[in-house]
Amino acid sequence: MDVLQAEFILGATKPEHFPASPLPEVAFIGRSNVGKSSLLNSLVRRKNLAHVSSTPGKTQQINFFTVNSRWMFVDLPGFGYAKASKQEREQWAMLARDYLQHRKQLRLVCFLIDSRHDPSALELGLIEELEMIGRRFAIILTKKDKISSKAMQERELQLRDVTQFCQHCADIIPYSSVVGDTRANLLAIIKRECAC
Ligand code: GDP
């Protein structure tokens, strides 16, 4: 479990490009700059598997990576970038929605939320959407090294409250790509949810 061999397969800009692979998929989603690329890199212990962006919101494609020839990690483009055009936002919504609603191989959505801020209306809306379409999801509270453990406890309670009636919320996990102390917890959830 400790060593993950990850290999980039392809970047899809249209649903027709999604790979025809039977591997169970784990998708990573969150607003721009939430720390998604850093989390992916820390999970597979590679510096540059997913590109840590200096200009957020640039990649409008869904990237697929095989992991240990056993799972597929799926990096959905960051949403809610303030400078993105209306057209870019709509393109994001269409591609991501298509993937989230229809992808048969998808077993778990890791929804990243920055632990330093209250979840935005957009983020609360996406939790509701995942619940409504019946997708298993885990909430990952990112950048936990940037706040006190008390503030993190409060954030976790807040999200537990938000999801208290959700049937499809697998878990809520604080995460730091810098410290990595909860990496094993996240991997355990992925392993559990992808078990066939
Ligand atoms: P993305 O746009 O969601 O892929 O976010 P990135 O992974 O590119 O991260 C955005 C910024 O947050 C970068 O400057 C990262 O170095 C920083 N960052 C990401 N994760 C963490 C974390 O866990 N702790 C700290 N301190 N900084 C982080």
Side-chain angles (χ1 to χ4, degrees), residues 31-39 51-53 56 142-146 175-178:
R31 69 161 179 74
S32 247
N33 217 32
V34 72
K36 183 161 52 66
S37 310
S38 305
L39 178 139
H51 184 61
V52 177
S53 56
T142 63
K143 309 190 188 183
K144 85 177 179 82
D145 58 291
K146 290 201 171 202
Y175 200 90
S176 164
S177 300
V178 176

Side-chain angles (χ1 to χ4, degrees), residues 5-106:
Q5 299 278 359
E7 188 190 345
F8 175 72
I9 300 297
L10 58 82
T13 51
K14 294 177 182 168
E16 304 90 270
H17 300 159
F18 297 165
S21 148
L23 294 177
E25 292 180 2
V26 181
F28 297 84
I29 188 168
R31 69 161 179 74
S32 247
N33 217 32
V34 72
K36 183 161 52 66
S37 310
S38 305
L39 178 139
L40 277 163
N41 290 335
S42 87
L43 269 185
V44 301
R45 296 204 161 127
R46 287 254 296 270
K47 275 209 159 61
N48 220 354
L49 181 77
H51 184 61
V52 177
S53 56
S54 47
T55 324
K58 276 288 162 208
T59 23
Q60 291 296 327
Q61 59 179 30
I62 298 185
N63 290 320
F64 291 80
F65 306 87
T66 53
V67 177
N68 287 2
S69 314
R70 179 178 174 192
W71 307 314
M72 192 81 85
F73 280 5
V74 183
D75 182 6
L76 286 132
F79 63 82
Y81 179 48
K83 288 184 185 161
S85 67
K86 187 164 176 266
Q87 193 192 353
E88 281 170 327
R89 274 178 225 179
E90 280 168 5
Q91 192 203 342
W92 179 89
M94 266 169 55
L95 188 63
R97 272 219 177 82
D98 189 288
Y99 176 81
L100 291 171
Q101 288 184 351
H102 303 302
R103 187 71 170 166
K104 288 205 169 55
Q105 297 89 324
L106 178 57

Side-chain angles (χ1 to χ4, degrees), residues 101-145:
Q101 288 184 351
H102 303 302
R103 187 71 170 166
K104 288 205 169 55
Q105 297 89 324
L106 178 57
R107 297 292 161 75
L108 179 70
V109 178
C110 292
F111 183 14
L112 279 58
I113 294 178
D114 193 322
S115 62
R116 295 171 299 173
H117 311 296
D118 284 328
S120 66
L122 213 60
E123 289 169 327
L124 292 172
L126 189 54
I127 291 176
E128 213 173 296
E129 206 170 316
L130 290 169
E131 178 64 19
M132 266 174 49
I133 61 174
R135 279 292 182 203
R136 289 285 283 176
F137 64 96
I139 292 179
I140 320 294
L141 298 168
T142 63
K143 309 190 188 183
K144 85 177 179 82
D145 58 291

